[in-house]
Amino acid sequence: MVLAHTGFGERPKLVVGIVVDQMRWDYLSRYYDQFQDDGFKRLIDKGYSCDNCLINYLPTITAIGHTSVYTGSTPALHGICGNDFFIGDSAVYCCGDMSVDPVGTDNRKRGCMSPRNLLSTTIGDQIRLHTDFKSKVVGVSYKDRAAILPAGRSSDHAYWLDYDNGQFITSTYYRTELPEWAKAVNRELKKNRELQKVGKDVGLYPLCGHITTDMAIAALKGERLGKGKVTDMLCVSYSQTDVIGHKWSTRGEHTDEAYLELDKDIARLLNALDNQVGEGNYLLFLTADHGGAHNYQFMIDHKMNGGAWKVQQDVMNDSLNAYLKEKFGEKVDRSIINGLNSYRVFLNHEKIKSLGLELQQVKDALIEYASKLPHVQFVMDFEKVNTWSVPDILRSRALLGYHPQRSGDLMLVLEPGWYEFWSSSSPVGTTHGEWNPYDAHIPLLFYGWKVEHGSTSREVHITDIAPTVTQMLHIQQPNACVGEAIGEVVK
């Protein structure tokens, strides 16, 4: 006898995605005893925890992480290859779009944004496709990329903070005017004395998380999310944890305060969801876009390996110019390199061609040069990485991170504990971007609708989040999804 499949018509009223920027997985245990009962602890104690969730591509960067969470894909397919990258020889910002106008500000630098560089659909796009675009999908964050990329291409609602004027904004990609509920939030922000005091530095304070939560709750109520006949989605990203981490690293009073205050914001958001949608009527996940290394000096002080890989001083220096001239003649210098970004070398293909050089001979020369730099363990040619003599984990993650037109030409892997250090970097801060567990091991919690309490130590990936959610909703996966639904959550 064949039993009928059940559950196809069952869906939560609302899906909520929360991304905590630069949150290491071990912060869940580090702060557990200090968390209050109705914030992170509620998600841990009543939800399902995937304790071994890893990022399975390189590099581990904000825009890529947010996109991979919601697409179930990697840069090789979804096309978001960094916060900044090159398409051909043209530098692009992941969400930059000068064909649109800002809404809620006159600041074109902050407001001319859209998801135009995103090649694939997201969870929210699939929800809207399934409901003939009756569902609402809203993205909210301090960072434009953390609101825009999760919300996807079809959303009418993505809001981010113009920290130059302390107002939430959007662009004409979405709408020509802010909704009334967003205008009301902005009016309150103009009266906020704490915001006026910190000004453009709001990202360095827990206040940034409070403001983001206010906006998310306002969107929840203003758009009546979870109140209709179809499933809606709310995407919230907390960015202050990343800004604070870059400034002050993984230890100390600033980071402690950031996570304990965020715990209160999570509790406040959960309470609003209970009141608006009803406990058990919404499906929520919480994760991170990447982790973060311990500060290199902190590691050295405790007799562990680590250091600052000073890009301008140690890499893009006069010796590189001299090396290139010796190899290829006086006309060739480091201007053949468009940029060095997130451990990737972007070459200027047109200039190399105009100089009468073969691309491969330039790559081979740079590999020879970079391989001799202190604290560089491996240099990989993206086009040949499948046969490169490197550990399988590096080969696999480099391939998943490689888009032929957008990811550059070479990737450098540093010794554990070493990371890029630019002139603007904080000496007591940190960064991220590499394959190592400190950057690639992230929290993943599921909570709410049809989620049973429990945990697993089985390895899962950031790309498994989207197929898990879409399978629970009985809708198609995003159209470039490479992940697999997590069976322990989907039952």
Side-chain angles (χ1 to χ4, degrees):
M1 182 176 67
V2 178
L3 297 176
H5 193 292
T6 60
F8 271 142
E10 297 180 36
R11 294 185 184 89
K13 294 288 187 181
L14 179 68
V15 177
V16 182
I18 300 175
V19 176
V20 183
D21 205 321
Q22 204 185 121
M23 185 175 183
R24 295 164 54 105
W25 170 75
D26 58 354
Y27 285 163
L28 290 177
S29 59
R30 177 173 175 79
Y31 295 112
Y32 181 83
D33 291 338
Q34 299 176 67
F35 287 147
Q36 58 187 45
D37 291 337
D38 50 356
F40 277 107
K41 261 190 183 178
R42 177 175 169 184
L43 302 181
I44 297 167
D45 293 349
K46 295 184 179 181
Y48 196 91
S49 179
C50 297
D51 294 335
N52 193 21
C53 183
L54 302 177
I55 295 173
N56 54 345
Y57 53 78
L58 281 169
T60 47
I61 298 297
T62 296
I64 304 176
H66 281 82
T67 309
S68 297
V69 166
Y70 287 89
T71 63
S73 192
T74 71
L77 298 171
H78 62 56
I80 300 299
C81 297
N83 299 338
D84 301 277
F85 50 97
F86 288 81
I87 298 180
D89 289 321
S90 299
V92 299
Y93 173 64
C94 59
C95 293
D97 186 355
M98 296 308 291
S99 72
V100 302
D101 293 319
V103 174
T105 182
D106 294 326
N107 191 336
R108 294 187 65 81
K109 182 179 179 181
R110 304 286 177 226
C112 292
M113 302 290 171
S114 83
R116 70 169 182 166
N117 290 318
L118 175 59
L119 302 179
S120 62
T121 60
T122 62
I123 299 170
D125 288 328
Q126 295 301 138
I127 291 173
R128 282 174 59 74
L129 280 164
H130 194 83
T131 62
D132 293 327
F133 301 95
K134 296 182 179 71
S135 296
K136 292 182 178 181
V137 177
V138 180
V140 173
S141 184
Y142 163 82
K143 293 181 180 179
D144 52 69
R145 55 188 178 269
I148 291 169
L149 298 170
R153 294 188 64 105
S154 70
S155 173
D156 295 327
H157 298 275
Y159 305 96
W160 57 95
L161 193 70
D162 177 357
Y163 49 82
D164 286 336
N165 67 8
Q167 299 281 279
F168 277 101
I169 63 173
T170 189
S171 79
T172 53
Y173 180 90
Y174 303 98
R175 53 184 54 247
T176 57
E177 187 177 2
L178 290 173
E180 285 303 317
W181 59 263
K183 291 179 180 178
V185 171
N186 282 338
R187 285 193 292 270
E188 290 302 311
L189 289 177
K190 285 183 178 180
K191 301 181 214 175
N192 190 313
R193 292 184 178 180
E194 189 179 356
L195 180 58
Q196 292 171 6
K197 183 179 178 181
V198 300
K200 296 179 183 180
D201 292 329
V202 61
L204 289 171
Y205 297 88
L207 171 65
C208 182
H210 305 337
I211 290 171
T212 302
T213 306
D214 291 343
M215 187 64 173
I217 292 173
L220 177 70
K221 295 177 179 178
E223 295 300 325
R224 294 182 55 79
L225 300 179
K227 291 288 192 180
K229 295 181 179 180
V230 294
T231 301
D232 297 320
M233 186 165 194
L234 176 63
C235 312
V236 186
S237 179
Y238 289 101
S239 306
Q240 73 280 2
T241 43
D242 182 70
V243 182
I244 288 168
H246 281 293
K247 180 73 172 179
W248 289 295
S249 191
T250 60
R251 293 290 185 266
E253 60 180 323
H254 297 287
T255 303
D256 294 348
E257 181 188 28
Y259 280 92
L260 297 181
E261 287 296 311
L262 174 59
D263 184 46
K264 297 174 185 176
D265 285 321
I266 297 293
R268 193 155 58 93
L269 180 58
L270 291 174
N271 183 60
L273 290 165
D274 291 344
N275 292 333
Q276 175 79 5
V277 188
E279 187 174 3
N281 289 329
Y282 58 90
L283 170 63
L284 181 148
F285 65 83
L286 182 147
T287 189
D289 53 345
H290 54 75
H294 292 308
N295 173 262
Y296 71 90
Q297 191 60 53
F298 170 85
M299 296 292 281
I300 292 169
D301 290 346
H302 290 83
K303 302 180 181 179
M304 286 179 272
N305 192 44
W309 196 63
K310 298 182 179 178
V311 184
Q312 298 98 325
Q313 181 178 319
D314 298 338
V315 187
M316 299 289 282
N317 53 27
D318 291 338
S319 69
L320 174 58
N321 265 349
Y323 171 82
L324 290 171
K325 289 180 184 298
E326 181 182 349
K327 275 280 185 183
F328 302 114
E330 281 299 314
K331 291 183 179 179
V332 183
D333 59 21
R334 63 178 178 232
S335 64
I336 63 169
I337 301 174
N338 276 329
L340 180 63
N341 181 286
S342 302
Y343 309 98
R344 298 167 301 178
V345 180
F346 292 80
L347 297 177
N348 188 321
H349 292 203
E350 286 301 316
K351 182 155 192 177
I352 290 170
K353 185 178 180 181
S354 72
L355 291 168
L357 300 174
E358 294 292 332
L359 178 62
Q360 191 59 54
Q361 69 180 141
V362 173
K363 288 197 289 185
D364 290 343
L366 287 171
I367 289 168
E368 179 184 53
Y369 175 84
S371 296
K372 296 175 182 177
L373 292 172
H375 310 293
V376 173
Q377 280 193 309
F378 300 99
V379 184
M380 295 182 280
D381 182 339
F382 271 127
E383 288 190 334
K384 296 182 176 181
V385 72
N386 203 37
T387 58
W388 219 247
S389 184
V390 295
D392 287 343
I393 192 171
L394 299 182
R395 181 182 302 109
S396 171
R397 294 187 186 186
L399 282 169
L400 288 172
Y402 175 55
H403 187 288
Q405 286 81 47
R406 300 184 175 194
S407 293
D409 300 276
L410 308 176
M411 169 156 275
L412 284 64
V413 178
L414 306 185
E415 293 175 0
W418 284 79
Y419 53 77
E420 282 182 329
F421 191 92
W422 299 85
S423 59
S424 58
S425 300
S426 167
V428 295
T430 190
T431 191
H432 50 85
E434 299 210 70
W435 70 273
N436 310 75
Y438 46 75
D439 284 348
H441 190 184
I442 56 175
L444 177 56
L445 303 170
F446 290 91
Y447 173 82
W449 186 79
K450 291 191 177 295
V451 175
E452 298 179 4
H453 175 56
S455 65
T456 181
S457 293
R458 181 174 69 85
E459 181 177 321
V460 300
H461 302 124
I462 190 172
T463 49
D464 297 335
I465 298 169
T468 299
V469 172
T470 52
Q471 185 162 322
M472 292 182 76
L473 298 181
H474 301 291
I475 65 174
Q476 189 57 270
Q477 299 171 350
N479 62 11
C481 184
V482 297
E484 298 180 5
I486 302 169
E488 294 90 335
V489 179
V490 179
K491 294 187 177 181

